[in-house]
Amino acid sequence: MKILAIEASGAVASAALVEDNVLRAEFTLNYKMTHSQTLMPLIAEIKKYLELDINTIDYVACSAGPGSFTGLRIGAATAKGIAMGIDKPIVPVSALAGLAYNVYMTDAVICPIIDAKRRQVYSVFYKWENGKLEAWKEDCIDMIDDVISDALMFELPVIFVGDGVFLYKDIIESYDDFMIAPASCNMQRAGSVASLAAEIAAEEKYVASGDFKPVYLRKSQAERELEEKMHGADKDD
C-alpha cells in the first residue's frame, strides 16, 4: 500500500511517501516561503528520487486541520487535485493527531497545541493505549490557561508538541511534569500523517476526493471581522 501524505496545517510544508509501513521519502520545509510555493516542488522531488508513477498511489493522505486557514486550503487543494487526477480517495488526518503521533508509545500524556491567536490554541490530549493513539476529547479551541489547567488534572507527565510550544514555552517549563518535545518531533511531519493514515485507511475511514473538506473549528479572521462590522452596523440602526 502506497500513501502520499501532505501536511500544510501550520508553518511547516511537508510531503511524504510511505509504502507498506516503510517511509520511502519525506521532505519538510519550515522557512519563510508559502505553501503555494513549496508543496508541489516537494512532491515533485519525491516523484523524481523514487521514480514514482503517481498512478500507483493507493491513497492521498492530508492533514485536515485544525490550523492555519490558508495552509489548510492550500493543502486540501493540492490533495484534491492529485487524488482527482488519479481517481483515488483521500484519508483525512487530524493535524493534532498527526502531531501527537510524532511521540510514539510513551506513557506520558501528549498535548498538541497549535497557535490560534489571542492566547487561544487548538488542542486535545492523547494517550497511547494498547498500541493505539487515543484522544481523550474532541479537537477543540481553548485558552492556553485552560489547557494548562486541564493538563494538571492528569497528574501524569505531559509532553507538549506543536507551534504553540514556542509561544508558551515559559509557562510550560514552569511545571515540573511538563516537557516540550525536541525539534525532531515538535512540529508537523507528513511522515506521521502517512503512518496514521495507514491505520485510518485500514478502517475504511477515507473519503472521495471531491468530498474532502478541511476542519477549521472556527471562522476565519476575515469572516469574524465582517460579522463584527455587521453587528456594529445593526447597533447603529
Side-chain angles (χ1 to χ4, degrees):
M1 181 169 64
K2 290 182 183 177
I3 298 177
L4 176 68
I6 294 167
E7 168 55 82
S9 63
V12 169
S14 186
L17 193 287
V18 166
E19 181 179 9
D20 297 332
N21 204 33
V22 176
L23 180 62
R24 297 294 186 191
E26 182 179 33
F27 290 91
T28 300
L29 188 63
N30 184 13
Y31 187 73
K32 293 184 179 179
M33 290 184 291
T34 64
H35 297 334
S36 60
Q37 295 173 295
T38 54
L39 266 181
M40 287 307 295
L42 294 181
I43 293 168
E45 290 295 288
I46 290 175
K47 290 172 63 179
K48 180 178 74 173
Y49 283 108
L50 296 183
E51 299 177 344
L52 176 67
D53 177 355
I54 200 75
N55 291 288
T56 64
I57 292 169
D58 296 292
Y59 301 97
V60 178
C62 186
S63 177
S68 159
F69 282 77
T70 302
L72 289 173
R73 286 168 180 157
I74 293 170
T78 304
K80 291 175 79 166
I82 294 171
M84 285 180 176
I86 58 176
D87 193 25
K88 295 296 170 65
I90 293 176
V91 183
V93 177
S94 161
L96 296 171
L99 275 165
Y101 207 87
N102 290 350
V103 186
Y104 192 71
M105 292 298 287
T106 175
D107 291 331
V109 175
I110 308 167
C111 182
I113 51 173
I114 298 174
D115 180 35
K117 310 299 182 187
R118 302 179 181 180
R119 289 187 66 82
Q120 294 179 313
V121 291
Y122 301 112
S123 73
V124 70
F125 294 98
Y126 285 94
K127 191 79 168 54
W128 285 98
E129 302 282 358
N130 300 316
K132 291 285 186 180
L133 188 64
E134 302 288 350
W136 286 14
K137 65 175 183 178
E138 297 293 325
D139 291 0
C140 64
I141 181 170
D142 275 326
M143 301 298 293
I144 184 60
D145 305 289
D146 294 331
V147 174
I148 296 297
S149 295
D150 289 344
L152 289 168
M153 294 175 63
F154 288 107
E155 298 183 352
L156 288 169
V158 180
I159 301 173
F160 288 83
V161 296
D163 60 20
V165 301
F166 307 110
L167 292 172
Y168 305 109
K169 181 174 181 289
D170 291 343
I171 297 174
I172 294 168
E173 291 184 340
S174 68
Y175 294 91
D176 291 339
D177 285 340
F178 292 175
M179 64 200 84
I180 292 172
S184 60
C185 53
N186 66 19
M187 294 293 283
Q188 290 93 332
R189 289 185 54 194
S192 291
V193 172
S195 294
L196 187 50
E199 296 182 11
I200 296 171
E203 297 174 358
E204 299 185 352
K205 294 179 180 178
Y206 44 79
V207 298
S209 55
D211 295 333
F212 175 65
K213 295 180 181 179
V215 177
Y216 298 116
L217 288 189
R218 71 173 184 183
K219 296 176 181 178
S220 70
Q221 182 176 347
E223 290 172 318
R224 295 196 306 273
E225 289 176 352
L226 178 60
E227 286 185 353
E228 288 172 3
K229 287 181 181 179
M230 295 295 291
H231 185 63
D234 291 341
K235 282 186 176 180
D236 291 340
D237 291 342

